Amino acid sequence: MSCCLGKPQPKKTSAELNDTDPPLLTSTVPAEPPTWAVLERALIDAIDEAAPIFLDKYTRPGGTLVWQEEYPGDGVWADDLYEAFFNWPFHYALGGSDYIGAKSFVEWDAITRQLANDYGRVHREFVNDDDWFHNAENYVYFYALGLVDPTVRDNRDRACRFAGFYTGDDPEARCYDARHRIIRSPFSGSKGPLFHARWADVSYNLAYEHTTLGPEHELAADWQQREGPERVLHEIFDRVVMRSDVVVNLGVVPLVATAYSYTGDDRYRRWICDYVEAWIERSRANNGVIPDNVGPNGIVGEARGGQWWGGFYGWTGRFGHQMMGCAVTVAAEAAQLVTGDSSYLDLARMWLDTLVDRGRRDDLGRFVVPHKHNDEGWTEFAPMHPHMPVHLWGASMQERDRQRLEVLRDGSEAAWDTVTSRGPREMDDRPWVGFLAGRIPDYPEQILQANYQEVRRRLDIVLNDDQDLTKLDVHHWQQVNPVLTEALTHLTTGGPQAIYWGGLAVGRLRYFDVQRRRAGLPKDVAALVTDLGANSVSVSLVNLCVSETRDVIVAAGSFREHHLLGVSEVGGERIEVNASYLPVQLRPGTRIDLQLEVERYCRPPTYAFPWHGDSVLFR
């Protein structure tokens, strides 16, 4: 059954949309260099300078991280190693150095080997059997490699192999039950579903309240101090927790969407429709509230006496609010990407409305929502993390989703409109939304300055880091990684940052360097998206070089999923485009301000660059 499109039809190809000969625009107006443009190029240069210093400090020849040689135990997830470099391919795709682009591939391969050979956590180049909150942090890195160079055959093959662990194509894994439309365990990967948990995972997840044992098994307050509870607890945990599908498993959807974007193979799109629609149907049947556990027969609460809450990383979990929100959002975005059907966004919208409809004002006047649901009902009211509602609005461009942002902002204006320096994991799109709304006109300069200072601060730590690198805390690399893509993503692509927990890039625009035949802004070129509409985007392009012309291609969407209908310079006549991209020639020291007319989500997503056409020649 399909709750959205009946039988979703494939999107049009570029040939059907006449993606053949877009017009060439040329900038002719000399311009004083805008402050934002100078700062944007300075930030790119600073990151390009800092990245090699970071890599030389913390990696061995060949790229493996300088760290413990023996596996440190089940308390360490594979994601912590990948996260050292997760955003390097994003930076390259925005205009970063060739060095960063090349090292993105080197480091992904090296860390994969290290996890497989030294720590035994990877099999067939994929994590053995971890949960999809952590797996999603791993593979956001892998997804972005296609933005750097989509012609790498190994990564195309990996994307298909990885997706096959979940689509039923791989007989060795069998993570998915197509009949009941469930992923069969909260822990899964290249070795299939994990039904017998590691004891470290049992004790850790019960101690940190990431799950419960259901209404029939209440933990004693001193359960960790008692002798001999392991066998009994382990058996209950395996039966109640480990044989269920959970919301964070929706993090698999972008993985399958990546295989679709490499190949265009329709079986990947059909799997996404089936799996996402199953969760939409369950939520609607549960009065619009997404249930956090589904049993082996596809029944909500099957192992918990019918209780729809209490599942792994679910409504009773310490961070379940954020974990579930990220999972439903990345899945909804990916489903919209591969189908063009915005009704898949209802999955994220139901989750948000569940919370907002139960929200209230606290003593400080802030709008707060419940972060948990347990036997006592909705509890632990606090402000909502803004990342997911911003993403929903960016994907839908609907007024009801924009109004929800205003509800969340009311009473918390200072937090929403203050620009601060932050790291790549601490994502905050609120001031960017304020800029688009006209509240923070100098946001570009503020965020570029803030990111520049954060790069400098992090590099200073790296340069003065004299500790024993073999004994680093596993989070140290991500805490000092000097590659920051926050400002560049907001300002150049006109989209929020990809959700750290497994999201695909969601820029309204992306750029290609014609002379160097690569992704990203050309040297000396800066871009600023100043306005977004449901069918429009305004962007300014500047060439800071005073002696050489720069040729840039402006593409519609991170995966060329949109279609450019027309373009006009500000105050000028409309020109027909009818293509997924627009070539622009920027003469020395000039600026051009464009208003683009866009039809969104009407094309199949592809990693292919404009000169590749619809198909990539893999090498």
Side-chain angles (χ1 to χ4, degrees):
M1 174 182 177
S2 172
C3 60
C4 300
L5 284 176
K7 293 183 178 180
Q9 299 300 309
K11 298 182 186 181
K12 297 179 181 178
T13 66
S14 61
E16 292 172 305
L17 288 167
N18 195 30
D19 192 357
T20 54
D21 192 21
L24 171 66
L25 296 188
T26 302
S27 66
T28 59
V29 179
E32 295 182 2
T35 301
W36 62 262
V38 175
L39 291 173
E40 190 170 287
R41 294 308 314 187
L43 177 60
I44 292 173
D45 291 344
I47 295 170
D48 290 347
E49 180 181 348
I53 299 172
F54 172 86
L55 188 141
D56 289 346
K57 182 81 171 191
Y58 296 114
T59 64
R60 304 181 180 97
T64 57
L65 289 161
V66 180
W67 202 43
Q68 305 176 44
E69 293 189 9
E70 295 183 359
Y71 176 54
D74 289 331
V76 174
W77 286 269
D79 64 286
D80 294 312
L81 280 71
Y82 284 114
E83 287 173 81
F85 300 97
F86 87 97
N87 59 355
W88 285 41
F90 286 107
H91 177 68
Y92 172 86
L94 293 165
S97 68
D98 290 342
Y99 172 93
I100 288 179
K103 291 302 183 181
S104 295
F105 292 105
V106 170
E107 288 308 314
W108 194 89
D109 289 344
I111 291 169
T112 301
R113 292 195 308 271
Q114 187 171 14
L115 285 166
N117 300 332
D118 295 353
Y119 306 141
R121 293 303 296 263
V122 162
H123 171 64
R124 298 171 68 193
E125 300 185 300
F126 196 86
V127 170
N128 297 345
D129 43 32
D130 275 345
D131 67 80
W132 265 92
F133 177 75
H134 290 95
N135 281 349
E137 292 177 324
N138 297 350
Y139 293 108
V140 67
Y141 184 175
F142 178 75
Y143 308 154
L145 290 175
L147 304 176
V148 177
D149 184 353
T151 69
V152 179
R153 183 180 298 273
D154 285 350
N155 284 335
R156 188 276 313 268
D157 294 347
R158 286 165 175 153
C160 296
R161 184 190 325 130
F162 297 168
F165 299 148
Y166 293 92
T167 59
D169 296 328
D170 192 310
E172 183 179 330
R174 299 191 181 280
C175 295
Y176 187 64
D177 178 344
R179 177 186 176 190
H180 297 110
R181 294 183 293 173
I182 59 168
I183 293 174
R184 300 169 63 203
S185 171
F187 291 73
S188 61
S190 57
K191 291 188 175 181
L194 182 67
F195 295 133
H196 180 60
R198 296 170 284 265
W199 173 248
D201 287 327
V202 176
S203 58
Y204 173 86
N205 287 299
L206 290 176
Y208 283 90
E209 301 177 348
H210 291 313
T211 188
T212 72
L213 297 178
E216 299 177 3
H217 307 285
E218 185 173 347
L219 282 172
D222 61 344
W223 67 272
Q224 291 175 290
Q225 283 73 49
R226 293 186 180 184
E227 293 185 4
E230 293 187 14
R231 186 186 63 79
V232 174
L233 282 180
H234 210 151
E235 187 277 330
I236 296 171
F237 192 94
D238 285 347
R239 176 163 43 85
V240 175
V241 178
M242 296 299 289
R243 293 181 178 273
S244 62
D245 197 358
V246 295
V247 177
V248 292
N249 280 341
L250 282 159
V252 173
V253 176
L255 179 76
V256 180
T258 296
Y260 180 70
S261 298
Y262 270 114
T263 67
D265 191 324
D266 199 54
R267 74 180 186 275
Y268 298 124
R269 184 181 61 87
R270 292 196 303 270
W271 183 91
I272 289 172
C273 292
D274 287 344
Y275 188 57
V276 175
E277 287 170 17
W279 279 103
I280 291 175
E281 292 165 16
R282 294 168 191 141
S283 301
R284 287 180 173 159
N286 196 42
N287 298 314
V289 179
I290 190 167
D292 68 19
N293 66 97
V294 182
N297 294 301
I299 301 170
V300 171
E302 185 175 349
R304 297 174 175 272
Q307 193 176 80
W308 55 262
W309 66 90
F312 186 70
Y313 287 158
W315 285 111
T316 60
R318 177 178 295 190
F319 304 111
H321 163 269
Q322 180 177 343
M323 294 171 168
M324 289 190 298
C326 290
V328 299
T329 303
V330 300
E333 287 178 326
Q336 181 187 37
L337 176 71
V338 303
T339 66
D341 185 355
S342 62
S343 63
Y344 284 102
L345 298 177
D346 284 347
L347 179 65
R349 193 173 285 120
M350 281 189 286
W351 175 79
L352 281 169
D353 287 341
T354 292
L355 303 176
V356 172
D357 290 350
R358 292 165 174 82
R360 63 193 187 201
R361 299 287 168 187
D362 66 5
D363 293 341
L364 300 176
R366 303 174 302 174
F367 188 82
V368 294
V369 302
H371 281 225
K372 287 187 179 182
H373 184 282
N374 54 32
D375 295 347
E376 300 174 359
W378 298 98
T379 64
E380 296 202 14
F381 284 74
M384 172 180 282
H385 195 291
H387 202 41
M388 287 72 80
V390 169
H391 267 257
L392 177 58
W393 169 73
S396 77
M397 285 280 110
Q398 292 189 16
E399 179 62 18
R400 57 175 167 167
D401 296 320
R402 191 195 68 80
Q403 285 294 333
R404 190 186 293 106
L405 298 180
E406 295 301 317
V407 171
L408 298 174
R409 176 178 176 270
D410 188 18
S412 300
E413 290 84 357
W416 276 69
D417 295 344
T418 300
V419 181
T420 59
S421 178
R422 58 184 64 249
R425 182 170 175 160
E426 303 170 89
M427 295 178 169
D428 189 355
D429 302 307
R430 293 175 296 180
W432 171 67
V433 171
F435 165 65
L436 294 176
R439 293 193 302 267
I440 315 175
D442 59 348
Y443 173 74
E445 292 82 2
Q446 287 192 55
I447 191 61
L448 288 164
Q449 290 277 21
N451 276 193
Y452 183 93
Q453 292 299 330
E454 182 65 15
V455 171
R456 185 208 57 76
R457 186 189 71 82
R458 286 169 170 253
L459 186 59
D460 186 62
I461 296 173
V462 173
L463 289 169
N464 294 285
D465 190 355
D466 58 1
Q467 63 184 304
D468 183 347
L469 301 184
T470 65
K471 297 179 180 179
L472 287 176
D473 177 83
V474 72
H475 301 97
H476 181 72
W477 309 297
Q478 60 190 257
Q479 292 165 352
V480 298
N481 172 16
V483 175
L484 305 182
T485 55
E486 178 184 21
L488 297 174
T489 299
H490 287 160
L491 303 184
T492 70
T493 76
Q497 302 166 87
I499 290 178
Y500 187 83
W501 295 274
L504 300 172
V506 291
R508 185 72 65 90
L509 302 176
R510 71 173 301 196
Y511 307 91
F512 298 90
D513 183 334
V514 176
Q515 278 99 341
R516 292 193 291 165
R517 301 280 286 184
R518 53 152 286 182
L521 289 167
K523 181 182 178 182
D524 303 312
V525 174
L528 176 62
V529 173
T530 56
D531 186 63
L532 293 176
N535 301 298
S536 65
V537 55
S538 299
V539 62
S540 297
L541 298 170
V542 176
N543 179 10
L544 294 174
C545 182
V546 297
S547 62
E548 297 184 18
T549 295
R550 303 295 187 213
D551 291 306
V552 60
I553 288 175
V554 182
S558 295
F559 296 86
R560 289 171 56 208
E561 66 272 25
H562 310 318
H563 193 69
L564 297 175
L565 301 173
V567 61
S568 61
E569 294 188 48
V570 174
E573 294 184 0
R574 180 185 183 276
I575 301 171
E576 188 84 7
V577 177
N578 198 28
S580 67
Y581 62 93
L582 176 71
V584 179
Q585 187 174 79
L586 296 167
R587 292 181 177 171
T590 62
R591 169 177 177 163
I592 191 169
D593 300 311
L594 303 177
Q595 293 177 328
L596 301 168
E597 181 185 343
V598 183
E599 182 181 357
R600 297 190 306 132
Y601 298 105
C602 63
R603 307 173 63 97
T606 178
Y607 281 112
F609 291 176
W611 46 85
H612 294 146
D614 268 348
S615 60
V616 174
L617 292 176
F618 293 99
R619 54 184 174 82

